[in-house]
Amino acid sequence: MESYPLLGNPGAMSGVLDYKGRPITKTSSGRWVAASFILAIEMAERVAYNGIVFNLISYLTGPLGESTVAAASAVSVWSGVTLLLPILGALVADSFFSRYRTIVISSFLYVLGLGLLSLSAVLPNLTTFKSVLFYFSIYLVAIAEGGHRPCVQAFGADQFDETDESECIWRSSFFNWWIFGLAVALTASPIILSYIQDNVNWALGFGIPCILLGSALIVFLMGSRFYRCYTLKETSPYSQVSRAIVNLVKRKLFSDAKSEAEALVEHYPVSPTQPKLQRGGEDLMTEQMELETNSLLHLFPIWATCLFYSIINCQWETFFTKQGATLDRNIISNFHIPAAGLQSLTNLSVTILIVFYDRLAVPLTRNITGIPSGITMLQRIGIGLLLSVFVMVISALVEMKRLETAIEFDLVDKPNSVLPMSILWLFPQYILMGLSSVFATVGLQEFFYDQVPDSLRSFGIAICLSIFGIGSVINSFLIYVTDKVTTRIGGESWFSNNLNRAHLDYFYWLIACLEFCSFVAFVHYGRSYVYKKRRETGV
């Protein structure tokens, strides 16, 4: 990005340019106007991504003819790769392309992937070429997601200057309204898209998100003149962090050993008349980077203890949907709600609850605690983690009821029959999942954006996303091991293709116990965590 000098433009922001690399003023850029254009493309992208993942297990077990275990594993692996690639995307954005350019390039790839996915759905079922094109398409989407996902939210938060007191408060609120906007977009789309995919055709169900994202990309480009783009450092922040880690390790290993020069200075002090060596600017920068890197390493325990929370997120995209497909989905007249459409309930609850949280809970707790955000970021995450334990407990109890109903009405060996049990039984676990997301998911996003060095904002979002990526991989591994062990021991897998003979309830209890242990560890490490100091505020 070509940059222009600040001469002749005294009102220009330091270190901030427009999308063409020209100086830009605070009054003519950023804030909510710029953030609204960025939110528009993210809302479309979330609809596109979830238009795939929400009903992907149904497509794999239907047109592609895969088993329940293979389909669930495929969904988890793809989700894991999709959420791990943002680490690479963040490196590219923070070191080479800038966030703005990375968003534009990845969005073009995204639209191409969705177009190919729609094409694959037109091909005859159970053919090799259909499967090859399908997997190529979704992994092209994963690559595009890797560039898009870590940059968009960080780019949106960049539109608020943390050195300005008012904009600093707006930025904290931005994360709440960001999730609100995404929840609004995802409230109706799962029902509409999954209904089209199940009852009209899959090609149209995949094609609509493609058109929507293409249109949103045009809107995003229209708002370019309002965006604040932070200049890239001449030296890659990742190489600086790498060198800082090496220095920290060396200092740790040799902390007890004194160099020969230090020993000489101790025994033969420097004469008062002899000039002392002065530390150069490069040494001070290295020391600062080492301090920031050390604080970055302190994020690891928080990251690790949140992995099982992401495993719970995997269940409402896979097994919750399979559960719903076996229940009576007739709610209004002759309309049968699609099983994947229940995920709209989680997004609807987020939409409602985030408003109450931002407008009622935050001001109330702020008056009590004196903290601008009401409670600390780690306290918010911890509440969400604890709520997720109750999500799995309720899910296990409902699944036990579903299995009892199958036995009571002699439908155990009739997997294609609808059980005389309303799908309303699943509502509590979906709603509670939404409440958990209001606390944990939003808290994690703000925490990892705020606590990384300023030059690694995209990387901070990528770290947050990697929690869900690694969690998806762990979930896939957990499913694989559980399937093999339970088949060998009991003869019937907990994930039998006939869900009436499966034991998802046992699996849910297992996850609940693991998540509770993870929550205890999170509290332990969270109590000793020291927050990064903010820069001095002021215009």
Side-chain angles (χ1 to χ4, degrees), residues 11 23 25 60 67 80 99 115 118 144 165 174 188 194-195 207 305 338 340 345 352 395 444 473 475 501 523:
T25 62
L60 292 172
S67 67
R99 287 166 197 154
S118 303
E165 185 175 356
F174 162 79
S194 58
Y195 181 84
T305 53
L345 191 61
I352 297 172
S395 301
L444 284 168
V473 174
N475 180 66
R501 286 195 171 278
V523 172

Side-chain angles (χ1 to χ4, degrees), residues 1-124:
M1 179 181 292
E2 183 183 0
S3 60
Y4 295 79
L6 297 178
L7 295 176
N9 193 355
M13 298 179 69
S14 176
V16 184
L17 305 172
D18 72 356
Y19 74 106
K20 290 185 177 180
R22 300 170 301 192
I24 195 169
T25 62
K26 180 180 290 189
T27 56
S28 64
S29 66
R31 304 181 183 181
W32 291 109
V33 173
S36 62
F37 284 98
I38 300 169
L39 178 58
I41 194 170
E42 178 66 357
M43 290 172 69
E45 186 277 330
R46 288 292 82 198
V47 170
Y49 175 79
N50 289 291
I52 299 173
V53 73
F54 276 171
N55 213 19
L56 185 57
I57 192 168
S58 298
Y59 186 77
L60 292 172
T61 56
L64 293 189
E66 297 186 8
S67 67
T68 301
V69 172
S73 296
V75 172
S76 293
V77 170
W78 178 73
S79 297
V81 171
T82 301
L83 294 171
L84 285 175
L85 283 175
I87 295 178
L88 179 60
L91 185 152
V92 171
D94 287 339
S95 301
F96 304 105
F97 285 170
S98 80
R99 287 166 197 154
Y100 173 81
R101 289 179 178 175
T102 305
I103 293 170
V104 173
I105 294 171
S106 61
S107 296
F108 276 116
L109 290 176
Y110 215 130
V111 173
L112 176 61
L114 291 172
L116 293 175
L117 182 60
S118 303
L119 177 61
S120 72
V122 178
L123 300 175

Side-chain angles (χ1 to χ4, degrees), residues 268-432:
Y268 302 99
V270 178
S271 171
T273 60
Q274 182 176 348
K276 295 181 179 179
L277 294 175
Q278 300 293 325
R279 292 196 304 172
E282 185 176 347
D283 293 331
L284 293 174
M285 289 178 62
T286 301
E287 182 178 338
Q288 177 64 23
M289 181 54 68
E290 288 182 13
L291 290 173
E292 291 185 343
T293 302
N294 193 38
S295 66
L296 190 64
L297 296 176
H298 288 163
L299 298 176
F300 177 76
I302 304 300
W303 178 89
T305 53
C306 291
L307 289 174
F308 282 102
Y309 169 73
S310 64
I311 291 178
I312 293 176
N313 275 265
C314 295
Q315 309 316 311
W316 70 292
E317 296 173 350
T318 53
F319 292 129
F320 284 12
T321 299
K322 296 296 291 183
Q323 281 179 282
T326 68
L327 303 180
D328 180 8
R329 292 177 282 141
N330 188 13
I331 297 179
I332 302 175
S333 185
N334 293 323
F335 176 74
H336 286 72
I337 183 173
L342 276 184
Q343 295 172 53
S344 294
L345 191 61
T346 296
N347 295 305
L348 178 61
S349 63
V350 170
T351 303
I352 297 172
L353 293 170
I354 201 74
V355 175
F356 280 96
Y357 181 84
D358 192 79
R359 293 303 180 188
L360 296 178
V362 171
L364 179 62
T365 53
R366 181 189 298 148
N367 292 334
I368 298 174
T369 64
I371 301 173
S373 58
I375 56 177
T376 67
M377 290 176 280
L378 289 178
Q379 287 172 341
R380 183 173 187 173
I381 296 169
I383 293 172
L385 298 184
L386 184 59
L387 288 172
S388 69
V389 176
F390 290 105
V391 170
M392 298 316 300
V393 170
I394 292 175
S395 301
L397 294 174
V398 171
E399 177 62 8
M400 292 171 63
K401 171 64 178 177
R402 193 190 70 80
L403 294 175
E404 290 174 0
T405 303
I407 296 173
E408 180 182 353
F409 290 90
D410 196 24
L411 295 173
V412 174
D413 294 317
K414 298 177 181 179
N416 295 325
S417 299
V418 177
L419 299 180
M421 177 177 171
S422 174
I423 201 170
L424 294 174
W425 279 86
L426 297 181
F427 276 33
Q429 63 200 60
Y430 278 99
I431 294 173
L432 194 57

Side-chain angles (χ1 to χ4, degrees), residues 432-472:
L432 194 57
M433 190 70 229
L435 180 60
S436 174
S437 296
V438 168
F439 285 93
T441 302
V442 181
L444 284 168
Q445 291 173 352
E446 183 178 3
F447 177 77
F448 283 100
Y449 175 87
D450 186 78
Q451 293 299 297
V452 298
D454 293 347
S455 58
L456 299 175
R457 298 295 199 189
S458 296
F459 184 65
I461 298 296
I463 294 175
C464 177
L465 293 174
S466 71
I467 293 175
F468 298 90
I470 295 293
S472 295

Side-chain angles (χ1 to χ4, degrees), residues 251-269:
R251 184 175 294 119
K252 185 70 174 177
L253 291 176
F254 301 106
S255 59
D256 295 332
K258 292 184 177 180
S259 66
E260 183 177 349
E262 289 175 328
L264 288 172
V265 171
E266 182 178 346
H267 288 86
Y268 302 99

